[in-house]
Amino acid sequence: MSGTACRGRFAPSPTGPLHFGSLLAAVGSFLDARARHGSWLVRMEDLDPPREMPGAADDILRTLEAFGLHWDGEVMYQSRRHAAYRAALDELERAQHLYPCGCSRREIQAQAVAGKPAIYPGTCRNGLPPGRVARAVRIRVPDIDIHFEDRVQGRTGLNLAEQSGDFILRRADGQFAYHLAVVIDDAAQDITDIVRGADLLDCTAPQIFLQQALGYSTPRYLHLPVVVNAQGEKLSKQTHAPPVSAEHAIATLGRVLQRLGQALPDAGTLDDFWRQAIHNWQVTRIPRSRNVNEH
Ligand code: GLU
């Protein structure tokens, strides 16, 4: 590292209480930062009110504390960051990276190749076709490959034009998009190391592109395997993942460490557990896979 202290973060969306999968992302990012004597920040990604659950943000913070996952500084709330997002959009607009788009999701889906993710075909790229009304704001992407070295998953990346397409920075309902907010906030919080679930692996190349467009540096990435249930589905509110309880914190954290391939601390208090887990943390032991089973 070039003299910069390591800064990691956990960035939950408050759509529900913390479950085993989100706890694993919290623990992975925490240990990775603490093992290098770095800072660990928490950012509440409360960007999408219709998807949020009232009280979930506070509930997540209380649960992190009960598990001994103590963060540095103030929690950042994306709901209070709209001015920064607007300013970045203005900057991208001035540099002519953006265009208004009048297409609906259904129209884009209808043009997609069956079984493939819907890539925006560029209908409004050169101006809104007659009769169209601007709905969302998109960023124009060039036909280039963006690759990066993931600390666990290895070299990965994609072709922006073919596999991402021009992506949305401001949605039709007026909300700022995840890609925009995450890139601006990681830069604002001086994050050097992003540790998150491998379900976000394909988000990384578009995010690196956006970092470059805004003149930010690119952090290091480490994508952890995602916890899946017996049906192979990612644990989430939609798959009815139960909330984690700190009642048996050490046992639950032990299960997390096992999924991360780490040595298990000896019996002791929660403080002892963390001291040993931080000391034992080895990135090379994390399974190099996209998924791990819940049980
Ligand atoms: N808020 C996102 C989530 O809960 C995580 C974003 C990130 O770590 O970049 O899935």
Side-chain angles (χ1 to χ4, degrees):
M1 290 199 315
S2 57
T4 341
C6 156
R7 283 167 74 84
R9 48 65 156 187
F10 175 53
S13 305
T15 52
L18 214 61
H19 53 70
F20 189 70
S22 36
L23 181 65
L24 181 136
V27 168
S29 58
F30 175 81
L31 287 175
D32 189 61
R34 295 296 190 223
R36 286 181 285 158
H37 310 285
S39 316
W40 186 67
L41 286 76
V42 170
R43 181 168 72 234
M44 206 45 77
E45 300 212 319
D46 52 350
L47 200 60
D48 194 357
R51 284 186 56 231
E52 283 153 26
M53 181 196 251
D58 287 345
D59 189 84
I60 289 171
L61 296 177
R62 271 195 304 272
T63 307
L64 291 174
E65 276 177 335
F67 274 97
L69 287 155
H70 303 299
W71 59 87
D72 295 308
E74 301 273 317
V75 174
M76 178 182 268
Y77 288 85
Q78 290 192 326
S79 54
R80 303 176 192 164
R81 301 266 307 144
H82 288 191
Y85 306 149
R86 212 167 289 124
L89 274 186
D90 286 348
E91 188 184 328
L92 293 167
E93 170 74 44
R94 277 193 301 273
Q96 302 187 335
H97 283 298
L98 308 183
Y99 64 88
C101 173
C103 302
S104 68
R105 199 187 296 242
R106 188 176 311 163
E107 286 165 332
I108 298 167
Q109 208 76 43
Q111 294 182 54
V113 181
K116 293 252 173 89
I119 304 294
Y120 183 62
T123 317
C124 303
R125 202 172 211 241
N126 299 315
L128 281 174
R132 290 269 174 177
V133 183
R135 292 165 48 90
V137 173
R138 288 185 187 271
I139 184 159
R140 211 176 268 117
V141 302
D143 185 4
I144 53 166
D145 291 334
I146 292 197
H147 283 99
F148 62 100
E149 194 62 37
D150 188 88
R151 293 170 55 211
V152 165
Q153 309 290 339
R155 190 167 166 78
T156 116
L158 45 73
N159 179 278
L160 275 186
E162 282 167 26
Q163 290 162 283
S164 154
D166 296 345
F167 55 92
I168 288 183
L169 296 187
R170 188 160 200 168
R171 303 182 343 194
D173 62 3
Q175 308 284 354
F176 297 100
Y178 156 67
H179 279 319
L180 179 75
V182 82
V183 163
I184 292 174
D185 290 343
D186 283 329
Q189 293 186 296
D190 286 325
I191 301 300
T192 60
D193 286 86
I194 294 182
V195 176
R196 61 185 181 186
D199 52 322
L200 296 169
L201 207 48
D202 288 346
C203 292
T204 304
Q207 290 173 9
I208 291 175
F209 170 68
L210 204 44
Q211 287 155 6
Q212 292 170 350
L214 287 164
Y216 302 154
S217 54
T218 291
R220 277 176 298 248
Y221 286 93
L222 188 167
H223 285 86
L224 299 165
V226 168
V227 184
V228 295
N229 63 20
Q231 288 72 46
E233 303 158 332
K234 178 189 171 212
L235 300 193
S236 69
K237 188 163 88 171
Q238 288 71 34
T239 58
H240 310 292
V244 282
S245 150
E247 203 184 329
H248 303 290
I250 293 180
T252 306
L253 290 168
R255 287 176 47 221
V256 169
L257 286 194
Q258 242 161 5
R259 300 299 178 286
L260 291 172
Q262 304 297 306
L264 282 186
D266 305 325
T269 64
L270 192 55
D271 281 351
D272 298 333
F273 178 96
W274 282 120
R275 237 187 320 275
Q276 293 182 56
I278 291 167
H279 183 259
N280 293 341
W281 176 250
Q282 278 186 43
V283 170
T284 48
R285 294 182 60 150
I286 301 172
R288 200 174 167 171
S289 67
R290 302 278 176 106
N291 296 327
V292 282
N293 292 323
E294 181 181 13
H295 296 292

